[in-house]
Amino acid sequence: DAKTTQPPSMDCAEGRAANLPCNHSTISGNEYVYWYRQIHSQGPQYIIHGLKNNETNEMASLIITEDRKSSTLILPHATLRDTAVYYCIVRVARTGNQFYFGTGTSLTVIP
Amino acid sequence: GAVVSQHPSRVICKSGTSVKIECRSLDFQATTMFWYRQFPKQSLMLMATSNEGSKATYEQGVEKDKFLINHASLTLSTLTVTSAHPEDSSFYICSARGTGEQYEQYFGPGTRLTVT
């Protein structure tokens, strides 16, 4: 079962930063947070992941709170191509390391 | 790198027939692959975990005799939907886990199955 909750939808103006929140209050100490996005009728695309520290790559930044109960994905300069469903996933720390997807946030970037 | 392909991308079959979907990791070896199903406007639902050379592990509520999974090599896993019915119509997505310690999954583009 998914261990994350996200708002169902968000809008963001093109060129502005998109901040997507995720709650994972039951996360265990050795469980990572992953972010993926899915554009309509395609497979999910990996964005970023982290354990404790904030992370940044060419696509986004991931801010994890000190208690690790929530995180925020930041797209620094949203473009129309960033319109997608964004999934925050806690990787299960057991054999198989499965991903259980929650409902995700549908982000619409507005021109 | 880390490309996963699926074949076919789209298939239509008649009720009662079986359909096989292939998932390949093109540029890396995947000891573990996963199969998901996604209904319209819903999230991805994990169906099973497939490890190379061993039996797949199915999630609760997924019929293992209906959804046959084979992972005979480090680059290929197949999902066979047996005796398909209209309610099996869905978007089937596979993913492959890399061999490093990061455990990220790389997803295929999905297969749209329509059972008539």
Side-chain angles (χ1 to χ4, degrees), chain A residues 7 9-21 35 37 47 59-63 71-84 86 105-110:
Chain A
S9 63
M10 291 182 63
D11 292 338
C12 176
E14 187 178 17
R16 304 297 294 269
N19 296 283
L20 292 88
W35 283 82
R37 70 181 182 185
I47 301 173
M59 289 184 67
S61 294
L62 173 60
I63 308 298
S71 61
T72 300
L73 178 73
I74 301 173
L75 307 179
H77 305 286
T79 70
L80 299 180
R81 294 181 182 180
D82 292 324
T83 293
Y86 287 76
T105 295
S106 179
L107 174 69
T108 301
V109 180
I110 302 168

PDB file of all heavy atoms in Angstrom, chain A residues 7 9-21 35 37 47 59-63 71-84 86 105-110:
ATOM      1  N   PRO A   7      -1.627  16.266  -2.846  1.00  0.00           N
ATOM      2  CA  PRO A   7      -2.834  16.945  -3.330  1.00  0.00           C
ATOM      3  C   PRO A   7      -3.173  16.431  -4.721  1.00  0.00           C
ATOM      4  O   PRO A   7      -2.277  16.137  -5.518  1.00  0.00           O
ATOM      5  CB  PRO A   7      -2.412  18.419  -3.363  1.00  0.00           C
ATOM      6  CG  PRO A   7      -0.921  18.392  -3.411  1.00  0.00           C
ATOM      7  CD  PRO A   7      -0.498  17.168  -2.680  1.00  0.00           C
ATOM      8  N   SER A   9      -4.414  17.864  -7.396  1.00  0.00           N
ATOM      9  CA  SER A   9      -4.094  18.693  -8.552  1.00  0.00           C
ATOM     10  C   SER A   9      -3.489  20.018  -8.129  1.00  0.00           C
ATOM     11  O   SER A   9      -3.710  20.488  -7.000  1.00  0.00           O
ATOM     12  CB  SER A   9      -5.349  18.939  -9.400  1.00  0.00           C
ATOM     13  OG  SER A   9      -6.306  19.664  -8.669  1.00  0.00           O
ATOM     14  N   MET A  10      -2.713  20.600  -9.046  1.00  0.00           N
ATOM     15  CA  MET A  10      -2.100  21.910  -8.832  1.00  0.00           C
ATOM     16  C   MET A  10      -1.923  22.591 -10.174  1.00  0.00           C
ATOM     17  O   MET A  10      -1.758  21.919 -11.206  1.00  0.00           O
ATOM     18  CB  MET A  10      -0.721  21.771  -8.179  1.00  0.00           C
ATOM     19  CG  MET A  10      -0.699  21.286  -6.765  1.00  0.00           C
ATOM     20  SD  MET A  10       0.989  21.214  -6.111  1.00  0.00           S
ATOM     21  CE  MET A  10       1.463  22.934  -6.181  1.00  0.00           C
ATOM     22  N   ASP A  11      -1.951  23.905 -10.152  1.00  0.00           N
ATOM     23  CA  ASP A  11      -1.627  24.693 -11.330  1.00  0.00           C
ATOM     24  C   ASP A  11      -0.367  25.494 -11.055  1.00  0.00           C
ATOM     25  O   ASP A  11      -0.079  25.843  -9.917  1.00  0.00           O
ATOM     26  CB  ASP A  11      -2.762  25.667 -11.671  1.00  0.00           C
ATOM     27  CG  ASP A  11      -4.012  24.962 -12.136  1.00  0.00           C
ATOM     28  OD1 ASP A  11      -3.906  23.803 -12.587  1.00  0.00           O
ATOM     29  OD2 ASP A  11      -5.106  25.555 -12.036  1.00  0.00           O
ATOM     30  N   CYS A  12       0.357  25.794 -12.121  1.00  0.00           N
ATOM     31  CA  CYS A  12       1.561  26.604 -11.982  1.00  0.00           C
ATOM     32  C   CYS A  12       1.728  27.423 -13.254  1.00  0.00           C
ATOM     33  O   CYS A  12       1.499  26.915 -14.363  1.00  0.00           O
ATOM     34  CB  CYS A  12       2.781  25.706 -11.775  1.00  0.00           C
ATOM     35  SG  CYS A  12       4.348  26.593 -11.701  1.00  0.00           S
ATOM     36  N   ALA A  13       2.116  28.675 -13.096  1.00  0.00           N
ATOM     37  CA  ALA A  13       2.340  29.520 -14.264  1.00  0.00           C
ATOM     38  C   ALA A  13       3.667  29.156 -14.918  1.00  0.00           C
ATOM     39  O   ALA A  13       4.664  28.866 -14.237  1.00  0.00           O
ATOM     40  CB  ALA A  13       2.342  30.991 -13.846  1.00  0.00           C
ATOM     41  N   GLU A  14       3.659  29.173 -16.232  1.00  0.00           N
ATOM     42  CA  GLU A  14       4.877  28.869 -16.979  1.00  0.00           C
ATOM     43  C   GLU A  14       5.991  29.820 -16.573  1.00  0.00           C
ATOM     44  O   GLU A  14       5.795  31.029 -16.444  1.00  0.00           O
ATOM     45  CB  GLU A  14       4.591  29.005 -18.481  1.00  0.00           C
ATOM     46  CG  GLU A  14       5.729  28.563 -19.367  1.00  0.00           C
ATOM     47  CD  GLU A  14       5.380  28.677 -20.845  1.00  0.00           C
ATOM     48  OE1 GLU A  14       4.401  29.380 -21.184  1.00  0.00           O
ATOM     49  OE2 GLU A  14       6.076  28.067 -21.666  1.00  0.00           O
ATOM     50  N   GLY A  15       7.183  29.247 -16.345  1.00  0.00           N
ATOM     51  CA  GLY A  15       8.334  30.047 -15.953  1.00  0.00           C
ATOM     52  C   GLY A  15       8.508  30.198 -14.457  1.00  0.00           C
ATOM     53  O   GLY A  15       9.586  30.577 -13.991  1.00  0.00           O
ATOM     54  N   ARG A  16       7.457  29.899 -13.722  1.00  0.00           N
ATOM     55  CA  ARG A  16       7.548  29.982 -12.263  1.00  0.00           C
ATOM     56  C   ARG A  16       7.953  28.634 -11.690  1.00  0.00           C
ATOM     57  O   ARG A  16       7.916  27.610 -12.356  1.00  0.00           O
ATOM     58  CB  ARG A  16       6.197  30.408 -11.675  1.00  0.00           C
ATOM     59  CG  ARG A  16       5.644  31.705 -12.212  1.00  0.00           C
ATOM     60  CD  ARG A  16       6.565  32.886 -11.874  1.00  0.00           C
ATOM     61  NE  ARG A  16       6.619  33.150 -10.453  1.00  0.00           N
ATOM     62  CZ  ARG A  16       5.806  33.986  -9.816  1.00  0.00           C
ATOM     63  NH1 ARG A  16       4.852  34.646 -10.485  1.00  0.00           N
ATOM     64  NH2 ARG A  16       5.929  34.187  -8.528  1.00  0.00           N
ATOM     65  N   ALA A  17       8.332  28.646 -10.422  1.00  0.00           N
ATOM     66  CA  ALA A  17       8.688  27.399  -9.753  1.00  0.00           C
ATOM     67  C   ALA A  17       7.419  26.642  -9.369  1.00  0.00           C
ATOM     68  O   ALA A  17       6.473  27.234  -8.860  1.00  0.00           O
ATOM     69  CB  ALA A  17       9.523  27.687  -8.512  1.00  0.00           C
ATOM     70  N   ALA A  18       7.449  25.359  -9.584  1.00  0.00           N
ATOM     71  CA  ALA A  18       6.346  24.484  -9.147  1.00  0.00           C
ATOM     72  C   ALA A  18       6.817  23.732  -7.915  1.00  0.00           C
ATOM     73  O   ALA A  18       7.867  23.086  -7.944  1.00  0.00           O
ATOM     74  CB  ALA A  18       5.971  23.511 -10.254  1.00  0.00           C
ATOM     75  N   ASN A  19       6.050  23.856  -6.852  1.00  0.00           N
ATOM     76  CA  ASN A  19       6.391  23.190  -5.596  1.00  0.00           C
ATOM     77  C   ASN A  19       5.324  22.142  -5.301  1.00  0.00           C
ATOM     78  O   ASN A  19       4.183  22.478  -5.003  1.00  0.00           O
ATOM     79  CB  ASN A  19       6.448  24.198  -4.446  1.00  0.00           C
ATOM     80  CG  ASN A  19       7.548  25.222  -4.641  1.00  0.00           C
ATOM     81  OD1 ASN A  19       8.714  24.949  -4.427  1.00  0.00           O
ATOM     82  ND2 ASN A  19       7.172  26.413  -5.091  1.00  0.00           N
ATOM     83  N   LEU A  20       5.698  20.887  -5.374  1.00  0.00           N
ATOM     84  CA  LEU A  20       4.744  19.798  -5.186  1.00  0.00           C
ATOM     85  C   LEU A  20       5.007  19.114  -3.842  1.00  0.00           C
ATOM     86  O   LEU A  20       6.063  18.514  -3.643  1.00  0.00           O
ATOM     87  CB  LEU A  20       4.847  18.780  -6.321  1.00  0.00           C
ATOM     88  CG  LEU A  20       4.391  19.275  -7.691  1.00  0.00           C
ATOM     89  CD1 LEU A  20       5.519  19.941  -8.463  1.00  0.00           C
ATOM     90  CD2 LEU A  20       3.825  18.114  -8.494  1.00  0.00           C
ATOM     91  N   PRO A  21       4.034  19.182  -2.932  1.00  0.00           N
ATOM     92  CA  PRO A  21       4.248  18.596  -1.602  1.00  0.00           C
ATOM     93  C   PRO A  21       3.852  17.123  -1.544  1.00  0.00           C
ATOM     94  O   PRO A  21       3.038  16.647  -2.345  1.00  0.00           O
ATOM     95  CB  PRO A  21       3.309  19.430  -0.720  1.00  0.00           C
ATOM     96  CG  PRO A  21       2.174  19.760  -1.630  1.00  0.00           C
ATOM     97  CD  PRO A  21       2.774  19.908  -3.024  1.00  0.00           C
ATOM     98  N   TRP A  35      10.606  10.348  -6.664  1.00  0.00           N
ATOM     99  CA  TRP A  35       9.619  11.101  -7.437  1.00  0.00           C
ATOM    100  C   TRP A  35       9.699  10.671  -8.898  1.00  0.00           C
ATOM    101  O   TRP A  35      10.788  10.601  -9.478  1.00  0.00           O
ATOM    102  CB  TRP A  35       9.861  12.603  -7.317  1.00  0.00           C
ATOM    103  CG  TRP A  35       9.397  13.191  -6.022  1.00  0.00           C
ATOM    104  CD1 TRP A  35      10.057  13.202  -4.824  1.00  0.00           C
ATOM    105  CD2 TRP A  35       8.156  13.859  -5.798  1.00  0.00           C
ATOM    106  NE1 TRP A  35       9.297  13.846  -3.873  1.00  0.00           N
ATOM    107  CE2 TRP A  35       8.125  14.256  -4.440  1.00  0.00           C
ATOM    108  CE3 TRP A  35       7.051  14.171  -6.602  1.00  0.00           C
ATOM    109  CZ2 TRP A  35       7.048  14.950  -3.871  1.00  0.00           C
ATOM    110  CZ3 TRP A  35       5.991  14.861  -6.042  1.00  0.00           C
ATOM    111  CH2 TRP A  35       5.991  15.237  -4.687  1.00  0.00           C
ATOM    112  N   ARG A  37       7.260  11.090 -12.725  1.00  0.00           N
ATOM    113  CA  ARG A  37       6.125  11.757 -13.351  1.00  0.00           C
ATOM    114  C   ARG A  37       5.661  10.931 -14.550  1.00  0.00           C
ATOM    115  O   ARG A  37       6.445  10.203 -15.157  1.00  0.00           O
ATOM    116  CB  ARG A  37       6.473  13.172 -13.780  1.00  0.00           C
ATOM    117  CG  ARG A  37       7.433  13.303 -14.956  1.00  0.00           C
ATOM    118  CD  ARG A  37       7.700  14.767 -15.238  1.00  0.00           C
ATOM    119  NE  ARG A  37       8.573  14.961 -16.385  1.00  0.00           N
ATOM    120  CZ  ARG A  37       9.035  16.143 -16.780  1.00  0.00           C
ATOM    121  NH1 ARG A  37       8.695  17.249 -16.094  1.00  0.00           N
ATOM    122  NH2 ARG A  37       9.813  16.249 -17.828  1.00  0.00           N
ATOM    123  N   ILE A  47      12.507  11.118 -11.753  1.00  0.00           N
ATOM    124  CA  ILE A  47      12.925  12.506 -11.582  1.00  0.00           C
ATOM    125  C   ILE A  47      14.081  12.600 -10.606  1.00  0.00           C
ATOM    126  O   ILE A  47      15.164  13.083 -10.930  1.00  0.00           O
ATOM    127  CB  ILE A  47      11.756  13.381 -11.074  1.00  0.00           C
ATOM    128  CG1 ILE A  47      10.580  13.337 -12.056  1.00  0.00           C
ATOM    129  CG2 ILE A  47      12.226  14.825 -10.891  1.00  0.00           C
ATOM    130  CD1 ILE A  47       9.334  14.038 -11.540  1.00  0.00           C
ATOM    131  N   MET A  59      16.881  18.104 -13.407  1.00  0.00           N
ATOM    132  CA  MET A  59      15.436  18.227 -13.583  1.00  0.00           C
ATOM    133  C   MET A  59      14.770  18.984 -12.440  1.00  0.00           C
ATOM    134  O   MET A  59      13.823  19.748 -12.664  1.00  0.00           O
ATOM    135  CB  MET A  59      14.780  16.853 -13.689  1.00  0.00           C
ATOM    136  CG  MET A  59      15.061  16.103 -14.972  1.00  0.00           C
ATOM    137  SD  MET A  59      14.159  14.546 -15.035  1.00  0.00           S
ATOM    138  CE  MET A  59      12.464  15.128 -15.141  1.00  0.00           C
ATOM    139  N   ALA A  60      15.201  18.697 -11.207  1.00  0.00           N
ATOM    140  CA  ALA A  60      14.442  19.198 -10.069  1.00  0.00           C
ATOM    141  C   ALA A  60      15.284  19.202  -8.807  1.00  0.00           C
ATOM    142  O   ALA A  60      16.409  18.707  -8.789  1.00  0.00           O
ATOM    143  CB  ALA A  60      13.204  18.316  -9.862  1.00  0.00           C
ATOM    144  N   SER A  61      14.675  19.745  -7.760  1.00  0.00           N
ATOM    145  CA  SER A  61      15.250  19.669  -6.417  1.00  0.00           C
ATOM    146  C   SER A  61      14.268  18.963  -5.504  1.00  0.00           C
ATOM    147  O   SER A  61      13.042  19.074  -5.697  1.00  0.00           O
ATOM    148  CB  SER A  61      15.542  21.072  -5.864  1.00  0.00           C
ATOM    149  OG  SER A  61      16.550  21.704  -6.616  1.00  0.00           O
ATOM    150  N   LEU A  62      14.813  18.242  -4.537  1.00  0.00           N
ATOM    151  CA  LEU A  62      13.993  17.528  -3.566  1.00  0.00           C
ATOM    152  C   LEU A  62      14.368  18.031  -2.182  1.00  0.00           C
ATOM    153  O   LEU A  62      15.539  17.947  -1.787  1.00  0.00           O
ATOM    154  CB  LEU A  62      14.225  16.018  -3.668  1.00  0.00           C
ATOM    155  CG  LEU A  62      13.567  15.134  -2.615  1.00  0.00           C
ATOM    156  CD1 LEU A  62      12.044  15.294  -2.651  1.00  0.00           C
ATOM    157  CD2 LEU A  62      13.948  13.672  -2.826  1.00  0.00           C
ATOM    158  N   ILE A  63      13.367  18.537  -1.482  1.00  0.00           N
ATOM    159  CA  ILE A  63      13.571  19.028  -0.126  1.00  0.00           C
ATOM    160  C   ILE A  63      12.862  18.079   0.832  1.00  0.00           C
ATOM    161  O   ILE A  63      11.643  17.883   0.717  1.00  0.00           O
ATOM    162  CB  ILE A  63      13.016  20.452   0.052  1.00  0.00           C
ATOM    163  CG1 ILE A  63      13.548  21.398  -1.032  1.00  0.00           C
ATOM    164  CG2 ILE A  63      13.344  20.977   1.458  1.00  0.00           C
ATOM    165  CD1 ILE A  63      15.042  21.566  -1.029  1.00  0.00           C
ATOM    166  N   SER A  71       8.006  15.869   2.126  1.00  0.00           N
ATOM    167  CA  SER A  71       9.016  16.357   1.187  1.00  0.00           C
ATOM    168  C   SER A  71       8.337  17.238   0.148  1.00  0.00           C
ATOM    169  O   SER A  71       7.101  17.236   0.014  1.00  0.00           O
ATOM    170  CB  SER A  71       9.750  15.190   0.513  1.00  0.00           C
ATOM    171  OG  SER A  71       8.855  14.379  -0.222  1.00  0.00           O
ATOM    172  N   THR A  72       9.153  17.985  -0.567  1.00  0.00           N
ATOM    173  CA  THR A  72       8.650  18.853  -1.631  1.00  0.00           C
ATOM    174  C   THR A  72       9.531  18.708  -2.856  1.00  0.00           C
ATOM    175  O   THR A  72      10.764  18.767  -2.752  1.00  0.00           O
ATOM    176  CB  THR A  72       8.656  20.335  -1.191  1.00  0.00           C
ATOM    177  OG1 THR A  72       7.820  20.488  -0.037  1.00  0.00           O
ATOM    178  CG2 THR A  72       8.125  21.228  -2.304  1.00  0.00           C
ATOM    179  N   LEU A  73       8.900  18.470  -3.975  1.00  0.00           N
ATOM    180  CA  LEU A  73       9.612  18.458  -5.252  1.00  0.00           C
ATOM    181  C   LEU A  73       9.503  19.841  -5.852  1.00  0.00           C
ATOM    182  O   LEU A  73       8.413  20.401  -5.929  1.00  0.00           O
ATOM    183  CB  LEU A  73       8.985  17.441  -6.201  1.00  0.00           C
ATOM    184  CG  LEU A  73       9.615  17.377  -7.587  1.00  0.00           C
ATOM    185  CD1 LEU A  73      10.979  16.692  -7.517  1.00  0.00           C
ATOM    186  CD2 LEU A  73       8.712  16.665  -8.581  1.00  0.00           C
ATOM    187  N   ILE A  74      10.618  20.385  -6.275  1.00  0.00           N
ATOM    188  CA  ILE A  74      10.626  21.719  -6.860  1.00  0.00           C
ATOM    189  C   ILE A  74      11.109  21.647  -8.301  1.00  0.00           C
ATOM    190  O   ILE A  74      12.216  21.175  -8.573  1.00  0.00           O
ATOM    191  CB  ILE A  74      11.536  22.675  -6.061  1.00  0.00           C
ATOM    192  CG1 ILE A  74      11.068  22.769  -4.607  1.00  0.00           C
ATOM    193  CG2 ILE A  74      11.547  24.068  -6.707  1.00  0.00           C
ATOM    194  CD1 ILE A  74      12.002  23.550  -3.709  1.00  0.00           C
ATOM    195  N   LEU A  75      10.244  22.102  -9.208  1.00  0.00           N
ATOM    196  CA  LEU A  75      10.640  22.307 -10.599  1.00  0.00           C
ATOM    197  C   LEU A  75      10.937  23.797 -10.725  1.00  0.00           C
ATOM    198  O   LEU A  75      10.021  24.608 -10.655  1.00  0.00           O
ATOM    199  CB  LEU A  75       9.517  21.891 -11.549  1.00  0.00           C
ATOM    200  CG  LEU A  75       8.949  20.482 -11.369  1.00  0.00           C
ATOM    201  CD1 LEU A  75       7.821  20.239 -12.368  1.00  0.00           C
ATOM    202  CD2 LEU A  75      10.029  19.437 -11.511  1.00  0.00           C
ATOM    203  N   PRO A  76      12.181  24.181 -10.886  1.00  0.00           N
ATOM    204  CA  PRO A  76      12.543  25.600 -10.724  1.00  0.00           C
ATOM    205  C   PRO A  76      11.910  26.549 -11.732  1.00  0.00           C
ATOM    206  O   PRO A  76      11.556  27.668 -11.374  1.00  0.00           O
ATOM    207  CB  PRO A  76      14.066  25.588 -10.838  1.00  0.00           C
ATOM    208  CG  PRO A  76      14.403  24.325 -11.519  1.00  0.00           C
ATOM    209  CD  PRO A  76      13.331  23.331 -11.163  1.00  0.00           C
ATOM    210  N   HIS A  77      11.779  26.113 -12.961  1.00  0.00           N
ATOM    211  CA  HIS A  77      11.194  26.976 -13.994  1.00  0.00           C
ATOM    212  C   HIS A  77      10.267  26.116 -14.853  1.00  0.00           C
ATOM    213  O   HIS A  77      10.688  25.526 -15.848  1.00  0.00           O
ATOM    214  CB  HIS A  77      12.284  27.600 -14.865  1.00  0.00           C
ATOM    215  CG  HIS A  77      13.331  28.343 -14.097  1.00  0.00           C
ATOM    216  ND1 HIS A  77      13.097  29.582 -13.520  1.00  0.00           N
ATOM    217  CD2 HIS A  77      14.601  28.018 -13.781  1.00  0.00           C
ATOM    218  CE1 HIS A  77      14.181  29.970 -12.885  1.00  0.00           C
ATOM    219  NE2 HIS A  77      15.112  29.058 -13.029  1.00  0.00           N
ATOM    220  N   ALA A  78       9.035  26.019 -14.420  1.00  0.00           N
ATOM    221  CA  ALA A  78       8.101  25.101 -15.074  1.00  0.00           C
ATOM    222  C   ALA A  78       7.837  25.501 -16.528  1.00  0.00           C
ATOM    223  O   ALA A  78       7.678  26.685 -16.859  1.00  0.00           O
ATOM    224  CB  ALA A  78       6.790  25.060 -14.301  1.00  0.00           C
ATOM    225  N   THR A  79       7.791  24.499 -17.382  1.00  0.00           N
ATOM    226  CA  THR A  79       7.419  24.711 -18.787  1.00  0.00           C
ATOM    227  C   THR A  79       6.159  23.906 -19.085  1.00  0.00           C
ATOM    228  O   THR A  79       5.740  23.058 -18.285  1.00  0.00           O
ATOM    229  CB  THR A  79       8.536  24.251 -19.733  1.00  0.00           C
ATOM    230  OG1 THR A  79       8.624  22.822 -19.698  1.00  0.00           O
ATOM    231  CG2 THR A  79       9.886  24.839 -19.337  1.00  0.00           C
ATOM    232  N   LEU A  80       5.571  24.160 -20.228  1.00  0.00           N
ATOM    233  CA  LEU A  80       4.345  23.450 -20.594  1.00  0.00           C
ATOM    234  C   LEU A  80       4.585  21.941 -20.655  1.00  0.00           C
ATOM    235  O   LEU A  80       3.677  21.143 -20.399  1.00  0.00           O
ATOM    236  CB  LEU A  80       3.827  23.965 -21.933  1.00  0.00           C
ATOM    237  CG  LEU A  80       3.454  25.444 -21.982  1.00  0.00           C
ATOM    238  CD1 LEU A  80       2.957  25.817 -23.375  1.00  0.00           C
ATOM    239  CD2 LEU A  80       2.410  25.786 -20.933  1.00  0.00           C
ATOM    240  N   ARG A  81       5.806  21.545 -20.993  1.00  0.00           N
ATOM    241  CA  ARG A  81       6.136  20.129 -21.065  1.00  0.00           C
ATOM    242  C   ARG A  81       6.161  19.451 -19.699  1.00  0.00           C
ATOM    243  O   ARG A  81       6.227  18.223 -19.618  1.00  0.00           O
ATOM    244  CB  ARG A  81       7.492  19.937 -21.738  1.00  0.00           C
ATOM    245  CG  ARG A  81       7.530  20.336 -23.196  1.00  0.00           C
ATOM    246  CD  ARG A  81       8.904  20.101 -23.787  1.00  0.00           C
ATOM    247  NE  ARG A  81       8.980  20.524 -25.185  1.00  0.00           N
ATOM    248  CZ  ARG A  81      10.070  20.433 -25.923  1.00  0.00           C
ATOM    249  NH1 ARG A  81      11.168  19.930 -25.420  1.00  0.00           N
ATOM    250  NH2 ARG A  81      10.065  20.850 -27.176  1.00  0.00           N
ATOM    251  N   ASP A  82       6.148  20.229 -18.649  1.00  0.00           N
ATOM    252  CA  ASP A  82       6.137  19.661 -17.298  1.00  0.00           C
ATOM    253  C   ASP A  82       4.728  19.284 -16.849  1.00  0.00           C
ATOM    254  O   ASP A  82       4.545  18.748 -15.750  1.00  0.00           O
ATOM    255  CB  ASP A  82       6.749  20.651 -16.306  1.00  0.00           C
ATOM    256  CG  ASP A  82       8.239  20.857 -16.529  1.00  0.00           C
ATOM    257  OD1 ASP A  82       8.918  19.869 -16.887  1.00  0.00           O
ATOM    258  OD2 ASP A  82       8.708  21.995 -16.375  1.00  0.00           O
ATOM    259  N   THR A  83       3.728  19.574 -17.652  1.00  0.00           N
ATOM    260  CA  THR A  83       2.364  19.151 -17.329  1.00  0.00           C
ATOM    261  C   THR A  83       2.308  17.629 -17.323  1.00  0.00           C
ATOM    262  O   THR A  83       2.603  16.978 -18.328  1.00  0.00           O
ATOM    263  CB  THR A  83       1.367  19.721 -18.354  1.00  0.00           C
ATOM    264  OG1 THR A  83       1.320  21.143 -18.222  1.00  0.00           O
ATOM    265  CG2 THR A  83      -0.019  19.136 -18.145  1.00  0.00           C
ATOM    266  N   ALA A  84       1.963  17.060 -16.162  1.00  0.00           N
ATOM    267  CA  ALA A  84       2.001  15.606 -15.986  1.00  0.00           C
ATOM    268  C   ALA A  84       1.416  15.268 -14.621  1.00  0.00           C
ATOM    269  O   ALA A  84       1.101  16.161 -13.829  1.00  0.00           O
ATOM    270  CB  ALA A  84       3.435  15.086 -16.076  1.00  0.00           C
ATOM    271  N   TYR A  86       2.461  13.745 -11.133  1.00  0.00           N
ATOM    272  CA  TYR A  86       3.692  13.551 -10.367  1.00  0.00           C
ATOM    273  C   TYR A  86       3.425  12.636  -9.183  1.00  0.00           C
ATOM    274  O   TYR A  86       2.508  12.870  -8.407  1.00  0.00           O
ATOM    275  CB  TYR A  86       4.235  14.903  -9.889  1.00  0.00           C
ATOM    276  CG  TYR A  86       4.835  15.703 -11.012  1.00  0.00           C
ATOM    277  CD1 TYR A  86       4.012  16.362 -11.928  1.00  0.00           C
ATOM    278  CD2 TYR A  86       6.207  15.767 -11.198  1.00  0.00           C
ATOM    279  CE1 TYR A  86       4.552  17.077 -12.992  1.00  0.00           C
ATOM    280  CE2 TYR A  86       6.759  16.482 -12.253  1.00  0.00           C
ATOM    281  CZ  TYR A  86       5.925  17.127 -13.148  1.00  0.00           C
ATOM    282  OH  TYR A  86       6.463  17.825 -14.201  1.00  0.00           O
ATOM    283  N   THR A 105      -0.140  13.832  -7.979  1.00  0.00           N
ATOM    284  CA  THR A 105      -0.626  15.201  -8.182  1.00  0.00           C
ATOM    285  C   THR A 105      -0.605  15.513  -9.670  1.00  0.00           C
ATOM    286  O   THR A 105       0.437  15.388 -10.311  1.00  0.00           O
ATOM    287  CB  THR A 105       0.262  16.230  -7.452  1.00  0.00           C
ATOM    288  OG1 THR A 105       0.182  16.028  -6.049  1.00  0.00           O
ATOM    289  CG2 THR A 105      -0.179  17.655  -7.783  1.00  0.00           C
ATOM    290  N   SER A 106      -1.746  15.905 -10.184  1.00  0.00           N
ATOM    291  CA  SER A 106      -1.819  16.320 -11.581  1.00  0.00           C
ATOM    292  C   SER A 106      -1.418  17.792 -11.675  1.00  0.00           C
ATOM    293  O   SER A 106      -2.155  18.668 -11.218  1.00  0.00           O
ATOM    294  CB  SER A 106      -3.228  16.111 -12.122  1.00  0.00           C
ATOM    295  OG  SER A 106      -3.305  16.548 -13.474  1.00  0.00           O
ATOM    296  N   LEU A 107      -0.256  18.042 -12.241  1.00  0.00           N
ATOM    297  CA  LEU A 107       0.253  19.408 -12.372  1.00  0.00           C
ATOM    298  C   LEU A 107      -0.076  19.935 -13.761  1.00  0.00           C
ATOM    299  O   LEU A 107       0.255  19.303 -14.767  1.00  0.00           O
ATOM    300  CB  LEU A 107       1.759  19.451 -12.155  1.00  0.00           C
ATOM    301  CG  LEU A 107       2.422  20.808 -12.411  1.00  0.00           C
ATOM    302  CD1 LEU A 107       1.999  21.821 -11.348  1.00  0.00           C
ATOM    303  CD2 LEU A 107       3.943  20.681 -12.464  1.00  0.00           C
ATOM    304  N   THR A 108      -0.703  21.074 -13.805  1.00  0.00           N
ATOM    305  CA  THR A 108      -0.970  21.748 -15.068  1.00  0.00           C
ATOM    306  C   THR A 108      -0.184  23.046 -15.096  1.00  0.00           C
ATOM    307  O   THR A 108      -0.339  23.886 -14.207  1.00  0.00           O
ATOM    308  CB  THR A 108      -2.469  22.058 -15.232  1.00  0.00           C
ATOM    309  OG1 THR A 108      -3.206  20.833 -15.175  1.00  0.00           O
ATOM    310  CG2 THR A 108      -2.729  22.735 -16.572  1.00  0.00           C
ATOM    311  N   VAL A 109       0.676  23.171 -16.096  1.00  0.00           N
ATOM    312  CA  VAL A 109       1.433  24.408 -16.271  1.00  0.00           C
ATOM    313  C   VAL A 109       0.669  25.293 -17.238  1.00  0.00           C
ATOM    314  O   VAL A 109       0.361  24.879 -18.361  1.00  0.00           O
ATOM    315  CB  VAL A 109       2.849  24.126 -16.785  1.00  0.00           C
ATOM    316  CG1 VAL A 109       3.618  25.441 -16.966  1.00  0.00           C
ATOM    317  CG2 VAL A 109       3.596  23.208 -15.818  1.00  0.00           C
ATOM    318  N   ILE A 110       0.384  26.474 -16.793  1.00  0.00           N
ATOM    319  CA  ILE A 110      -0.485  27.389 -17.549  1.00  0.00           C
ATOM    320  C   ILE A 110       0.369  28.435 -18.276  1.00  0.00           C
ATOM    321  O   ILE A 110       1.241  29.024 -17.665  1.00  0.00           O
ATOM    322  CB  ILE A 110      -1.469  28.074 -16.587  1.00  0.00           C
ATOM    323  CG1 ILE A 110      -2.294  27.008 -15.866  1.00  0.00           C
ATOM    324  CG2 ILE A 110      -2.380  29.031 -17.336  1.00  0.00           C
ATOM    325  CD1 ILE A 110      -3.088  27.563 -14.708  1.00  0.00           C
TER     326      ILE A 110
END
